[in-house]
Amino acid sequence: MQEPPHTVKLIDLAGLQALFDALTRRGYEIVGPVHRDGAIVYDRIDAVAELPAGWTDQQAPGSYRLTRRDDDAVFGYAVGPHSWKRYLFPPRQTLFSVQRLDDGGLSFKPEPIDAPKRAFIGVRACELAAIGVQDRVFAGGEHVDPAYAARREAVLLVAVNCAVAADTCFCSAMDTGPAVRGGHDLVLTELIDAAGQRFLVEAGSALGRELLAGLPGPAASADDIAAAGAQSQRVAAGQTRRIDAAAVPALLMRNLQHPRWDAVAQRCLSCANCTLACPTCFCSSNQEVTDLAGAAHRERHWDSCFNVEFSHLGHGSVRDSVKARYRQWLTHKLATWHEQFGQSGCVGCGRCISWCPVGIDLTEEVAAIAASDAGGRP
Ligand code: SF4
Ligand code: SF4
């Protein structure tokens, strides 16, 4: 009798490399976490040996440091400065080019869409939620961004259940993690204890099931499956930052004149780091770039609501103070995004907290407003 397919398989590092090899054979370029310049970032990789084994991150408002773990876990950290949006919505892309012809006319040429087959390795639950948010923005409505849609279609997602949370994480409060709940092709759970280092692998799509069937390894034991579940519960319980995601839209919108906006504006540098690090922020601007030989192209680049020029209309910026720009960012992210897209614009990854040079923490800002909220009463 034929053995039924295992729904949860157990593999070791060699099995993980077998997954990488299978992806390569199917034509996927593998992108995953690597240790570079003091941070864990996403880049092209070919081998499991390139993963940041033995490293973890310590994060706090305005602070990100890597330290050594006392084991060789390859996914033993939270999220770093990069998010997957840099591959799906690149920081800079040419939209079309223009060439002046000999007869004085102009020839317009659309930029071909670059959408390589890519496998993202180590996508966290909050990051899957962030990809879902950008899917809604770029490809979910009446006006689809064709380049985003093509790149997204070509991506295979290998997720990882978090084994640790950074001090800045609050995915459990935003109901996006730490356990992966969907949107993936495969999901890994790394276990490392007295029984050694091993990975539970589950499929979340038909392609994931095909890949899972080809992996070497037995079915995971009930004990390992229970250990994986307990690990996710520990990570959720260890998160200390809280936000009442359901109450916060009304809270912010009835406190648009709260003095806390003045206080945060005294600290905020309007540097835009938070929006560039945020996996859901999607603002961009277009720019015409010309050379001296008669050629020009239009490019789109990431922009930010913290840049004063971003809201320049007619006589000047409609948000010409730091207070106005910070308030716009936070109220859009946590409140008006719901009206626009039917969900929060924040997935609780904590990047904007760690990568803010002055350590502004949006959960603290919300808590400070809530602490003196008049509750709608005059
Ligand atoms: S607002 Fe901050 S915590 Fe929320 S998704 Fe963006 S970077 Fe992450
Ligand atoms: S909140 Fe922090 S990261 Fe964002 S613009 Fe202000 S200083 Fe920069």
Side-chain angles (χ1 to χ4, degrees):
M1 198 172 111
Q2 199 178 4
E3 198 185 346
H6 302 313
T7 53
V8 187
K9 260 190 183 173
L10 191 67
I11 60 170
D12 57 12
L13 279 174
L16 193 54
Q17 183 62 52
L19 172 61
F20 280 27
D21 294 342
L23 292 169
T24 304
R25 278 196 303 277
R26 285 172 178 253
Y28 285 99
E29 177 183 299
I30 299 175
V31 183
V34 293
H35 175 204
R36 180 160 309 142
D37 299 330
I40 291 173
V41 296
Y42 299 140
D43 208 345
R44 172 84 200 263
I45 57 174
D46 294 306
V48 166
E50 294 171 79
L51 294 171
W55 288 99
T56 194
D57 46 13
Q58 292 185 340
Q59 302 194 45
S63 171
Y64 175 98
R65 298 278 178 281
L66 290 186
T67 56
R68 296 299 306 192
R69 292 172 58 97
D70 56 11
D71 59 32
D72 287 325
V74 294
F75 296 113
Y77 39 84
V79 293
H82 281 184
S83 73
W84 300 102
K85 83 173 176 184
R86 65 188 298 103
Y87 291 98
L88 295 170
F89 166 47
R92 196 169 282 276
Q93 59 186 311
T94 298
L95 301 177
F96 61 83
S97 52
V98 190
Q99 188 74 46
R100 186 166 292 285
L101 303 173
D102 291 344
D103 65 3
L106 296 172
S107 164
F108 288 80
K109 199 168 81 177
E111 186 72 5
I113 291 174
D114 180 28
K117 282 177 78 174
R118 283 193 173 119
F120 293 170
I121 305 292
V123 185
R124 308 308 174 119
C126 65
E127 298 185 300
L128 285 170
I131 291 171
V133 169
Q134 290 215 323
D135 285 351
R136 171 77 183 78
V137 171
F138 287 116
E142 200 180 330
H143 304 287
V144 170
D145 180 321
Y148 179 92
R151 283 191 285 265
R152 181 69 178 85
E153 181 69 27
V155 159
L156 180 136
L157 297 168
V158 180
V160 168
N161 284 316
C162 285
V164 295
D167 178 54
T168 42
C169 294
F170 57 103
C171 63
S172 57
M174 298 311 293
D175 201 26
T176 61
V180 168
R181 298 160 191 183
H184 57 287
D185 292 290
L186 287 172
V187 57
L188 309 171
T189 306
E190 183 174 27
L191 295 176
I192 187 160
D193 54 26
Q197 182 179 25
R198 58 213 186 279
F199 305 87
L200 274 64
V201 197
E202 292 168 77
S205 70
L207 183 51
R209 280 188 286 283
E210 259 184 52
L211 287 159
L212 184 66
L215 286 182
S221 69
D223 283 352
D224 278 341
I225 292 171
Q231 181 165 272
S232 283
Q233 283 175 5
R234 267 199 312 278
V235 174
Q239 293 184 10
T240 53
R241 278 187 165 66
R242 292 271 170 266
I243 218 170
D244 184 345
V248 80
L251 170 77
L252 293 183
M253 297 315 286
R254 68 175 172 258
N255 281 287
L256 294 177
Q257 303 307 326
H258 196 282
R260 186 71 183 192
W261 302 115
D262 294 293
V264 73
Q266 292 295 314
R267 299 172 62 207
C268 177
L269 308 173
S270 205
C271 67
N273 260 18
C274 48
T275 54
L276 302 182
C278 178
T280 66
C281 278
F282 58 85
C283 289
S284 66
S285 288
N286 292 338
Q287 183 179 23
E288 273 70 47
V289 182
T290 55
D291 65 17
L292 297 176
H297 65 270
R298 174 175 289 180
E299 65 178 32
R300 183 170 80 173
H301 58 83
W302 287 359
D303 208 334
S304 169
C305 53
F306 279 98
N307 291 335
V308 69
E309 286 300 312
F310 188 69
S311 59
H312 191 108
L313 287 176
H315 296 293
S317 175
V318 297
R319 288 189 285 273
D320 60 358
S321 67
V322 174
K323 171 184 168 182
R325 294 198 289 280
Y326 186 88
R327 185 175 53 195
Q328 158 64 24
W329 177 68
L330 199 66
T331 54
H332 187 214
K333 186 73 44 186
L334 296 176
T336 53
W337 205 298
H338 284 276
E339 293 162 27
Q340 201 176 358
F341 301 114
Q343 62 190 122
S344 176
C346 176
V347 297
C349 72
R351 284 181 178 89
C352 58
I353 304 172
S354 301
W355 295 95
C356 172
V358 293
I360 293 173
D361 172 348
L362 79 171
T363 66
E364 266 180 30
E365 296 311 308
V366 169
I369 290 173
S372 52
D373 173 34
R377 295 181 301 279

